[in-house]
Amino acid sequence: DYSLGHMQVFRIIEKLGRGCKDAVEVANELHPRWSGILGLDGKTVRVRGGKRIFASAVDLGTQDSVDSALVFIEDHPSLCPFLREVRDGIRYAAKMIVIDDDRAWKAAVTTVFPDGPIQLCVVHFERVVDKILPKRKRTSEQEEFKEMVRRVLYAPSEEAAERAMEEILEARKNGRFKGRKLTHIIVSLIRNFRLLTAHFRVGSEFRDNNLTENVNANIGMKLYLIRGFKNEESAKNTMKLMVMHYRFNPFSACKRKENNGKSPLNLAGVDTSSLDWIAYS
């Protein structure tokens, strides 16, 4: 009988990660066909001496990880090189880009993809509203206001969203929905209305960033077992392998039943039946 200790296993993973292909190599060799609807998000990773951000770009139509990188901080100078690799190295043709309402991501996307429509995640926007108006403390007027906000965010058409927005503005004109908190939300709705409804103009079903968060969570479950990386190089190598495993691993509990039994790369039109993912990596 021979068993491996957890440190031996980790050293094997790290060694495999050092030789693992990056996202640019995979794109150039396997030629995935993506939907063009790109989700962007960041997740904190613990590295000895501090924290880093795992920046992730996910094709929402296929749930495939287009690219990922470990960046020092989630700011404009750090995110732009990552997005340029997605645009120029991987040659991802973005029809729409979905992000949370984050200034750094918004500025970086505007810089690198100036012509790509931005869709702000409506779920994230609703969470901000719930933070400003906690459910347990809402008045009846605030509860009604929240439902009207939801009619804007989850409208079935752009015209319906515009009507719902007009209802809020008309109510305010008639003396309702006053106060600092409601005013802040209304101003944010007005300022971001075009970004919250961009998916209608692109003809996309994606108005939130849930799938991107789910991909990060899938990788995050593995990260949870690792209390921290000894250095940045170790983190990069290990996470390259984790992402590669995700891309080759078939779904088994996908909400879209037709996707079960297929991997993200399969959904992106890549035949992986003759590829051993470790050997390929």
Side-chain angles (χ1 to χ4, degrees):
D1 292 335
Y2 181 71
S3 61
L4 292 173
H6 70 277
M7 287 305 298
Q8 290 172 294
V9 171
F10 187 75
R11 279 193 288 269
I12 292 170
I13 292 172
E14 190 176 4
K15 183 178 179 181
L16 289 171
R18 280 199 299 273
C20 185
K21 293 176 180 177
D22 61 29
V24 174
E25 291 174 294
V26 176
N28 289 335
E29 292 175 7
L30 299 184
H31 308 290
R33 298 189 299 275
W34 293 304
S35 68
I37 310 300
L38 188 68
L40 300 172
D41 197 21
K43 182 180 180 65
T44 301
V45 176
R46 288 169 293 183
V47 179
R48 183 179 293 175
K51 295 179 180 178
R52 297 293 184 269
I53 300 297
F54 175 68
S56 181
V58 176
D59 180 72
L60 300 185
T62 62
Q63 301 181 57
D64 188 25
S65 175
V66 173
D67 199 3
S68 57
L70 205 62
V71 300
F72 186 73
I73 192 171
E74 210 166 5
D75 65 358
H76 182 267
S78 299
L79 295 174
C80 279
F82 168 62
L83 293 181
R84 288 191 185 100
E85 180 172 276
V86 173
R87 183 193 65 188
D88 302 331
I90 291 177
R91 297 187 294 280
Y92 187 89
K95 299 174 184 175
M96 186 178 78
I97 298 168
V98 186
I99 59 172
D100 295 343
D101 189 9
D102 182 278
R103 290 183 182 180
W105 277 109
K106 194 184 297 184
V109 170
T110 302
T111 298
V112 180
F113 293 97
D115 300 322
I118 295 175
Q119 167 70 39
L120 291 189
C121 175
V122 297
V123 172
H124 183 267
F125 191 94
E126 185 179 7
R127 286 175 191 162
V128 173
V129 173
D130 288 339
K131 189 174 181 180
I132 296 171
L133 302 174
K135 188 170 185 177
R136 65 183 183 280
K137 296 181 180 180
R138 280 181 208 156
T139 65
S140 58
E141 183 185 55
Q142 289 173 342
E143 192 66 50
E144 181 185 357
F145 174 77
K146 169 64 192 302
E147 286 306 310
M148 293 177 77
V149 170
R150 282 182 57 83
R151 288 203 289 273
V152 175
L153 299 179
Y154 301 102
S157 68
E158 189 170 10
E159 292 75 18
E162 289 171 350
R163 288 195 298 271
M165 189 73 227
E166 287 170 4
E167 287 176 10
I168 293 175
L169 297 178
E170 185 66 24
R172 183 172 174 82
K173 184 179 177 181
N174 292 332
R176 304 183 62 208
F177 304 148
K178 300 292 184 179
R180 180 178 54 82
K181 292 181 178 180
L182 299 190
T183 299
H184 175 76
I185 295 169
I186 291 172
V187 170
S188 185
L189 266 177
I190 294 170
R191 184 176 66 245
N192 293 307
F193 183 80
R194 293 280 296 174
L195 299 179
L196 291 166
T197 57
H199 63 286
F200 290 125
R201 295 182 292 281
V202 176
S204 169
E205 64 182 293
F206 297 105
R207 67 176 86 192
D208 61 61
N209 221 5
N210 290 353
L211 280 176
T212 310
E213 292 180 355
N214 288 343
V215 172
N216 282 351
N218 186 292
I219 296 169
M221 284 190 290
K222 298 177 179 67
L223 291 175
Y224 181 77
L225 301 174
I226 303 171
R227 295 189 178 276
F229 294 97
K230 61 183 180 180
N231 54 53
E232 192 166 322
E233 191 63 28
S234 174
K236 286 180 178 178
N237 293 337
T238 303
M239 296 186 76
K240 273 201 302 181
L241 201 64
M242 287 179 175
V243 170
M244 192 72 87
H245 175 260
Y246 166 79
R247 299 184 74 180
F248 274 86
N249 193 38
F251 293 113
S252 59
C254 190
K255 287 184 179 180
R256 294 187 178 185
K257 302 300 182 183
E258 65 273 17
N259 289 350
N260 288 326
K262 300 175 184 176
S263 70
L265 279 172
N266 293 153
L267 295 176
V270 178
D271 181 4
T272 60
S273 58
S274 62
L275 295 176
D276 174 87
W277 80 271
I278 295 179
Y280 173 77
S281 300

